[in-house]
Amino acid sequence: EVQLVESGGGLVQAGGSLRLSCAASGFTFDDYAIEWFRQVPGKEREEVACISGIDGVTYYAESVEGRFTISSEDAKNTVYLQMNSLGPEDTAVYYCAAEEGRRCIEEGTGLRTWGQGTQVTVSS
């Protein structure tokens, strides 16, 4: 059973940094991509980053390109999202997801398992 647990959210000042973690279990990493999404009330979830398990290929949304970095530590079965130069527009609940058969820059299956989410709040 695929399980994902996010952590690392909190309150940070504008211009600051935060690192989110996604601890994964129950699957072979090479067969999945791990993705970070964010959502604010009343809006659709936005995919902000993706990392492919098979080859490490990454994807970033234009809104976070150059500020966020996704990485993985396979020994810990954990994916991180390093967020720098944060602004109030980055305030959201952040979710990680494992998508079967995804390579980030290619279309996957659309079959995702979601974590519970972690709140990120950026103050002015």
Side-chain angles (χ1 to χ4, degrees):
E1 179 182 356
V2 178
Q3 293 187 345
L4 304 171
V5 179
E6 300 100 329
S7 61
L11 176 65
V12 64
Q13 294 261 31
S17 298
L18 209 59
R19 189 178 75 162
L20 306 182
S21 298
C22 176
S25 63
F27 66 99
T28 301
F29 190 56
D30 284 358
D31 296 333
Y32 289 78
I34 304 298
E35 305 150 354
W36 284 100
F37 288 75
R38 65 186 182 187
Q39 186 172 32
V40 299
K43 294 186 178 181
E44 297 292 320
R45 287 189 183 184
E46 174 192 20
E47 184 177 354
V48 298
C50 176
I51 185 165
S52 171
I54 188 68
D55 58 9
V57 167
T58 58
Y59 160 84
Y60 298 97
E62 186 175 349
S63 58
V64 307
E65 182 79 49
R67 298 189 297 120
F68 291 10
T69 302
I70 190 169
S71 62
S72 64
E73 290 191 27
D74 291 348
K76 295 184 177 181
N77 295 320
T78 300
V79 172
Y80 303 96
L81 185 67
Q82 179 67 46
M83 306 185 295
N84 299 327
S85 301
L86 287 164
E89 69 275 12
D90 297 311
T91 295
V93 178
Y94 284 73
Y95 299 87
C96 64
E99 183 178 1
E100 298 177 20
R102 177 85 184 276
R103 195 173 161 264
C104 297
I105 60 173
E106 300 174 353
E107 187 174 357
T109 63
L111 299 174
R112 292 184 174 92
T113 299
W114 298 88
Q116 84 287 351
T118 185
Q119 176 71 46
V120 172
T121 302
V122 184
S123 65
S124 299

